[in-house]
Amino acid sequence: MSSSNEVPISIEDIAYGFMASQALFAALELGLFDAIHNSKEKPTVKDIQKALKIDAPRLQTLLTALTSTKLIHRDNNGRYTLHSSTTSFLVRSSKHFYGDYLRLQVGRQFYTHMADLGKTVSTGTGPTYETWFNNAKEARQYTLAQHNGSMATARQLLKKVNCDVGCVA
């Protein structure tokens, strides 16, 4: 049964939404946002290939995907720049960087485990933190990602808290 005051939804956006996040994770893995940010002038695809030491035609596909998500911009001359939020949160040298949280925890850990969501829901069995942390590599990756994400949250909290003594921004 449908509600009479429904808002339109795009089932395709939901179904294919993973592609945008995978493009984000790939860009973080490659250091693509850093390469664009660190370029002396707006880079072309060739400049980015050179900076990343990648000689693969699929880089253009990734750049197109990232442009469609608005994480990066491409001008009429084929030169790329970053969205201001990309610069603030996805460039490693930014004090607000939390790309490791996205790359390590969401991209590598949560995505892997979400593949079995239907089985987990139907059977009640699935991964737990206990099973994750029995693997030292998984535990370390989780901890590093959580630390990175927590640092970004802590910085935002500090902006909202009035500190008279001992607060460091």
Side-chain angles (χ1 to χ4, degrees):
M1 178 184 264
S2 298
S3 170
S4 62
N5 47 345
E6 286 184 328
V7 295
I9 63 169
S10 172
I11 294 171
E12 289 81 10
D13 286 351
I14 296 167
Y16 295 114
F18 77 96
M19 292 179 180
S21 55
Q22 287 297 332
L24 166 64
F25 304 144
L28 288 166
E29 291 285 345
L30 295 169
L32 189 140
F33 302 126
D34 298 311
I36 294 172
H37 177 75
N38 295 330
S39 183
K40 292 186 189 301
E41 55 185 58
K42 295 178 186 178
T44 64
V45 67
K46 295 282 185 201
D47 298 329
I48 298 168
Q49 282 177 315
K50 185 177 178 183
L52 297 177
K53 298 180 174 110
I54 294 175
D55 188 27
R58 293 291 185 189
L59 182 60
Q60 181 63 66
T61 305
L62 179 59
L63 290 167
T64 300
L66 294 168
T67 300
S68 75
T69 64
K70 299 181 178 33
L71 288 167
I72 64 174
H73 305 284
R74 182 179 183 269
D75 68 19
N76 291 335
N77 297 316
R79 296 188 173 275
Y80 292 91
T81 56
L82 301 175
H83 186 282
S84 60
S85 292
T86 305
T87 302
S88 293
F89 302 113
L90 303 177
V91 170
R92 189 167 292 281
S93 60
S94 169
K95 70 179 184 175
H96 302 294
F97 175 73
Y98 73 97
D100 282 345
Y101 169 76
L102 297 171
R103 180 178 65 89
L104 297 172
Q105 191 163 73
V106 179
R108 290 189 190 173
Q109 291 181 312
F110 291 163
Y111 250 80
T112 303
H113 295 296
M114 290 298 287
D116 291 328
L117 182 59
K119 177 182 170 189
T120 300
V121 171
S122 66
T123 66
T125 62
T128 64
Y129 286 114
E130 184 179 357
T131 58
W132 272 15
F133 298 154
N134 280 336
N135 178 317
K137 182 180 175 188
E138 287 284 321
R140 178 167 171 68
Q141 185 171 293
Y142 182 90
T143 302
L144 288 172
Q146 280 297 110
H147 173 75
N148 186 258
S150 296
M151 291 300 291
T153 303
R155 285 186 195 97
Q156 293 302 314
L157 180 61
L158 274 176
K159 287 180 182 179
K160 296 181 186 300
V161 174
N162 182 10
C163 292
D164 292 329
V165 179
C167 289
V168 179

